[in-house]
Amino acid sequence: MLLKKLELSGFKSFARKTEFEFATRTTAIVGPNGSGKSNIAESIRFVLGEQSMKSLRSKRGEDLIWNGTPGTPKLNRADVAITFDNTKRLLNVDYDEVEIRRTIYRDSASQYLINGSPVRLKDVFELLSGIHIGASSHHIISQGQADHILSASIKERRGMVEDALGLKVYQYKRLESERKLAKTRENIGQVEALRKEIAPHLKFLQKQMEKVEQAEKLREELKMLYREYLAREEMYLEHHNKRLQEKRGEPQQELHDLEKRIKNNEIKLQELTKGRGAHADLEVLDTTLRKLREEKDTHSRRIGRLEGMLSYAKKEQGGKKIGDTVSFNRNAVDAFIQKLESAVETALALNEVDGLKEALRSLRTSISHFWQKEVKGKEELQDYKTLEKELKTTEEAFKELSSEEAKIQEERARKARTLEEERGDERKFEHELFALRSRRSELLTRLELLRVDEEKLRGEAASLKETLREVGLWLGRDAISFDKTAYAFTPDEPRAKQEERKWKIERIKIKIEDIGGGDDIKKEYEEVASREEYLSRELLDLEKSADALAGLIEELSKKIDAEFKDGIQKINKEFQRLFVLMFGGGTAALKIVAPPPKKKKRLLDELESADVQSEEIPGDEVEEEEGVEITINLPSKKIRGLQALSGGERSLTSIALIFAITNVNPPPFLLLDETDAALDESNSRKFGNMIHELSEKTQFIIITHNRETMTRAGVLYGITSGSEGVSRVLSVKLEEAVGIAQ
């Protein structure tokens, strides 16, 4: 059993959530008129995608929604869900159970869900086509529509039969292929129009490309010239750079050595200059001598004074003072004069100023001593012994000072000699340092001249680098890829020769610029040519696609026709058997007939309802598809046409045909809404027997008042309607249903 469950909520009279489980091969739904039984059949039509409000006995979408009563308020939506068992994967989804749900709102908007996921109506149709459930609803026979297959046109009847035979999926594919073919032919026309549109411009661009090709040849020649020019320029720079480096090497090394020698001489000279501390030592010694001599002068004067005082003490007034005249002791005067002469002789014997100064200071000391002794000393006479002792002490101190003076004078003389020698070495280093510095200036001048040449070479190298960059950008990397060994380089080649090469390059560049727009034209030509090539390929692909679609349409048409004809034969076999069972004899058959030729215009109503745009299939006078006609011949009556049948006969004929179609290609379920209403007891039994037979192949849901039919059901659902018009459900099992039916 494929159909498992039906759930209604807010749909028409089913205001409350109601569930129907289909656990048996045959389920019967019974109830009084007006209880809402037929709403169940319409709910199944609704959830399977029915778009016709007329088929749902409504005018607007909101008519399908519970409209409310005083006791049960109206709802804003109606919801129907149907559940299928998919363990055999008859439906093309990977679920064991598939639920299709449709919700409609008061603004008539519908929402479709498959297992809870929102989908399009088209998706629902494609899913159901796998189990032969289509829009014609051959599997749902509503109340009063049992003989619709009899009253339908031959074209409508063919559609019902094709739908029942499961050919709808092929028809969808064929109609989709026809739509694609029409679109493809439209695209072919557009592509051809585009090719015609760009053809003149492409021809113009081809002429322009001839000039561009000429420019390309010049560019190739330019590349060759550039390669030679750049290679020679690079070799020139390498050669002269190497030569300058060689020229720089010797003076640089010499300068490096000179710098070391200059630094060493400067250090030595600095050390000698620091050695001039000997001169500072001389100044210290001179200062010491000066202080010693001053101290000696003091002692000398003291000695003279003491000697005078002692001499005076010995001779007891050796002279007299008369007025301004002073008398002196002769011996004292002689001694004084002798000292003076000795001091003068000593001074005259000296050749240096310092010695002369020292002699003069000694002379001055002697005079001072004489004066103090002979003139002043008489006033300062002391005790003789005391004076003698003091004189001895003073003379000893004088001798010590004289000894120290001699040592210092000797040290000074030695220092003076050393200083004179050092000054000689310093002058020698100064002369050598001057010579070294002069040579350094010469070398720096030579190196500066070399630096100027190097700077010039660097400028030329920078110019070469910029030229390489520009040429690489303009002519490509291959223009600056050259082999220097391919060109013989002469170091002494005049630069004018290289300038000639450069001038030749500039002339070719001017020619290329005069042609102008090469890149733009080439780009545009390539774009247009590429567009033409693409359109050509596209046209070829479209033509192949059109041929393939035409072949597919033909193949599908043949398949539909073959399976349709084969299906008709099988249906006729069952139709005849069931017709005889119903009427006790006679003949009944479906006959394929062709309508007269007329303008072909098919409106794809089914695809429109499935969100697929309807299109006209182009063509003039062509034949429509063949239709299906029903021929019958009742036993013991001369009735051959459907129009002459009574209501009961039409009902039996339609039931026989429906069951014949069902038997050939059983749908997953068959819903019959009071199809047996016009049958008498005998025919009801026959009807029940056929249901029992067919229930082995398909699942039956039967809305009925017929007791015989009720006895064939495994589960019986009873529908009642309360005072407010709300449909309610009561389920009864088979054994209970038999009792109710009896």
Side-chain angles (χ1 to χ4, degrees), residues 564-575:
F564 176 71
K565 290 178 179 178
D566 182 61
I568 289 292
Q569 290 179 1
K570 293 177 180 178
I571 291 171
N572 280 338
K573 184 177 180 180
E574 286 297 314
F575 189 21

Side-chain angles (χ1 to χ4, degrees), residues 226-430:
Y226 257 126
R227 290 190 189 105
E228 180 179 3
Y229 172 80
L230 295 171
R232 291 186 179 279
E233 192 70 6
E234 192 169 294
M235 288 188 289
Y236 166 82
L237 291 173
E238 288 174 354
H239 171 77
H240 285 279
N241 188 56
K242 182 178 180 181
R243 184 177 60 82
L244 287 175
Q245 292 301 319
E246 290 172 353
K247 285 185 177 181
R248 172 180 282 277
E250 182 180 346
Q252 272 187 333
Q253 183 61 42
E254 185 179 353
L255 181 63
H256 182 264
D257 296 339
L258 276 177
E259 292 291 352
K260 287 184 178 179
R261 293 176 61 189
I262 289 171
K263 186 174 182 180
N264 290 335
N265 281 13
E266 287 176 343
I267 291 172
K268 289 180 180 179
L269 188 60
Q270 187 178 9
E271 289 175 353
L272 288 175
T273 303
K274 288 181 180 179
R276 288 180 185 175
H279 180 72
D281 292 343
L282 286 176
E283 291 178 352
V284 172
L285 291 172
D286 287 342
T287 301
T288 303
L289 283 173
R290 186 169 59 254
K291 290 181 179 179
L292 282 173
R293 284 166 180 167
E294 288 176 355
E295 192 173 351
K296 278 180 66 182
D297 287 346
T298 301
H299 282 73
S300 179
R301 288 192 300 271
R302 182 66 176 166
I303 290 170
R305 186 171 64 80
L306 290 172
E307 286 178 345
M309 291 175 69
L310 283 172
S311 179
Y312 181 76
K314 285 181 178 180
K315 294 182 178 180
E316 297 178 350
Q317 301 291 333
K320 295 182 180 178
K321 181 177 180 183
I322 304 173
D324 294 331
T325 304
V326 179
S327 60
F328 297 92
N329 184 285
R330 185 176 178 80
N331 293 331
V333 172
D334 290 338
F336 173 67
I337 291 171
Q338 188 177 355
K339 280 187 176 183
L340 289 177
E341 288 176 350
S342 178
V344 170
E345 287 295 326
T346 301
L348 291 173
L350 296 172
N351 292 326
E352 55 185 274
V353 177
D354 292 334
L356 183 59
K357 288 181 179 180
E358 182 63 27
L360 290 174
R361 281 194 290 270
S362 178
L363 184 61
R364 186 180 63 185
T365 301
S366 297
I367 293 171
S368 176
H369 286 174
F370 179 80
W371 176 258
Q372 292 292 334
K373 176 181 177 183
E374 297 299 328
V375 180
K376 300 291 184 177
K378 291 182 171 64
E379 300 173 357
E380 301 174 356
L381 293 176
Q382 297 178 3
D383 182 74
Y384 179 80
K385 291 182 178 181
T386 302
L387 291 173
E388 191 176 46
K389 184 178 181 180
E390 183 178 354
L391 177 61
K392 185 178 179 181
T393 301
T394 305
E395 285 176 346
E396 289 176 355
F398 183 80
K399 287 179 181 178
E400 290 178 359
L401 289 172
S402 297
S403 177
E404 181 70 23
E405 179 184 15
K407 292 179 180 178
I408 292 174
Q409 282 182 336
E410 184 181 350
E411 177 69 17
R412 185 186 183 284
R414 187 179 63 78
K415 290 279 185 183
R417 287 193 301 272
T418 301
L419 182 61
E420 187 63 26
E421 291 173 0
E422 289 177 351
R423 283 178 177 173
D425 291 340
E426 183 179 342
R427 283 191 293 273
K428 176 184 175 183
F429 278 114
E430 285 177 347

Side-chain angles (χ1 to χ4, degrees), residues 705-720:
H705 289 288
N706 193 303
R707 292 184 180 183
E708 179 65 30
T709 304
M710 293 181 198
T711 62
R712 308 295 176 141
V715 173
L716 189 67
Y717 282 102
I719 309 298
T720 64

Side-chain angles (χ1 to χ4, degrees), residues 170-232:
Y170 303 124
Q171 290 177 335
Y172 280 146
K173 290 180 180 179
R174 184 177 65 180
L175 293 172
E176 186 69 13
S177 298
E178 288 173 347
R179 184 185 67 80
K180 289 181 179 179
L181 178 59
K183 187 65 177 178
T184 301
R185 287 172 176 166
E186 180 183 343
N187 291 338
I188 289 173
Q190 292 176 351
V191 171
E192 289 176 341
L194 287 173
R195 291 186 70 194
K196 290 179 181 178
E197 182 180 342
I198 66 174
H201 188 51
L202 181 61
K203 187 176 181 181
F204 167 77
L205 289 174
Q206 286 171 339
K207 292 181 179 179
Q208 295 297 313
M209 277 301 296
E210 294 175 1
K211 295 181 179 179
V212 172
E213 289 171 359
Q214 181 185 356
E216 285 295 326
K217 291 179 181 178
L218 290 173
R219 286 167 70 91
E220 290 301 318
E221 182 182 354
L222 188 62
K223 286 181 183 180
M224 294 177 62
L225 291 173
Y226 257 126
R227 290 190 189 105
E228 180 179 3
Y229 172 80
L230 295 171
R232 291 186 179 279

Side-chain angles (χ1 to χ4, degrees), residues 91-92 120-131 133 169 172 176 610 612:
L91 296 171
N92 190 26
R120 301 169 298 174
L121 176 58
K122 180 182 179 181
D123 300 323
V124 175
F125 281 172
E126 288 180 353
L127 179 67
L128 294 175
S129 66
I131 54 174
I133 297 178
V169 63
Y172 280 146
E176 186 69 13
V612 178

Side-chain angles (χ1 to χ4, degrees), residues 697-709:
K697 297 181 179 180
T698 189
Q699 192 174 355
F700 277 94
I701 301 169
I702 306 172
I703 300 172
T704 183
H705 289 288
N706 193 303
R707 292 184 180 183
E708 179 65 30
T709 304

Side-chain angles (χ1 to χ4, degrees), residues 386-643:
T386 302
L387 291 173
E388 191 176 46
K389 184 178 181 180
E390 183 178 354
L391 177 61
K392 185 178 179 181
T393 301
T394 305
E395 285 176 346
E396 289 176 355
F398 183 80
K399 287 179 181 178
E400 290 178 359
L401 289 172
S402 297
S403 177
E404 181 70 23
E405 179 184 15
K407 292 179 180 178
I408 292 174
Q409 282 182 336
E410 184 181 350
E411 177 69 17
R412 185 186 183 284
R414 187 179 63 78
K415 290 279 185 183
R417 287 193 301 272
T418 301
L419 182 61
E420 187 63 26
E421 291 173 0
E422 289 177 351
R423 283 178 177 173
D425 291 340
E426 183 179 342
R427 283 191 293 273
K428 176 184 175 183
F429 278 114
E430 285 177 347
H431 287 306
E432 185 177 349
L433 190 60
F434 177 78
L436 292 173
R437 287 172 175 169
S438 298
R439 179 58 179 167
R440 181 175 67 178
S441 297
E442 292 176 7
L443 292 174
L444 288 173
T445 301
R446 283 177 60 188
L447 290 172
E448 179 62 21
L449 292 174
L450 290 174
R451 189 194 66 77
V452 171
D453 291 341
E454 288 173 349
E455 189 66 30
K456 181 180 177 182
L457 276 180
R458 278 195 292 271
E460 292 176 339
S463 177
L464 175 61
K465 184 178 180 180
E466 180 62 21
T467 302
L468 285 168
R469 188 187 69 82
E470 291 177 355
V471 173
L473 291 174
W474 189 39
L475 296 177
R477 297 293 301 174
D478 60 326
I480 56 176
S481 300
F482 46 81
D483 181 9
K484 290 182 288 188
T485 61
Y487 307 99
F489 176 70
T490 305
D492 298 330
E493 180 185 83
R495 288 295 283 170
K497 188 70 175 176
Q498 187 73 334
E499 291 298 323
E500 290 178 7
R501 297 187 184 100
K502 188 174 182 180
W503 176 240
K504 188 175 182 179
I505 286 172
E506 293 300 324
R507 287 202 304 271
I508 294 178
K509 286 171 67 176
I510 291 171
K511 289 180 180 179
I512 294 173
E513 289 174 0
D514 287 343
I515 294 174
D519 291 339
D520 294 337
I521 291 173
K522 186 176 182 180
K523 183 178 179 181
E524 186 178 2
Y525 172 76
E526 288 175 352
E527 288 176 354
V528 176
S530 176
R531 178 66 173 164
E532 160 63 22
E533 184 180 354
Y534 168 77
L535 290 174
S536 179
R537 290 197 308 269
E538 184 73 8
L539 184 61
L540 182 61
D541 291 343
L542 287 171
E543 288 173 347
K544 289 180 179 179
S545 179
D547 292 341
L549 287 169
L552 178 60
I553 292 169
E554 183 179 359
E555 181 182 345
L556 288 170
S557 296
K558 289 179 179 179
K559 187 176 184 66
I560 291 170
D561 186 63
E563 292 194 11
F564 176 71
K565 290 178 179 178
D566 182 61
I568 289 292
Q569 290 179 1
K570 293 177 180 178
I571 291 171
N572 280 338
K573 184 177 180 180
E574 286 297 314
F575 189 21
Q576 176 64 29
R577 183 178 70 84
L578 294 176
F579 188 82
V580 170
L581 181 63
M582 284 290 190
F583 291 98
T587 58
L590 300 180
K591 183 180 179 181
I592 300 174
V593 295
K598 67 176 183 177
K599 186 91 169 174
K600 184 178 182 182
K601 180 180 180 182
R602 181 180 306 142
L603 298 177
L604 308 181
D605 297 329
E606 297 172 3
L607 294 182
E608 278 185 349
S609 65
D611 304 331
V612 178
Q613 184 178 357
S614 169
E615 297 181 5
E616 288 189 9
I617 306 303
D620 293 326
E621 294 296 328
V622 295
E623 289 187 356
E624 287 188 346
E625 288 182 322
E626 296 171 328
V628 174
E629 195 172 70
I630 301 174
T631 61
I632 62 169
N633 184 14
L634 293 178
S636 68
K637 286 188 179 182
K638 294 182 179 180
I639 296 178
R640 296 181 181 277
L642 296 176
Q643 295 81 4

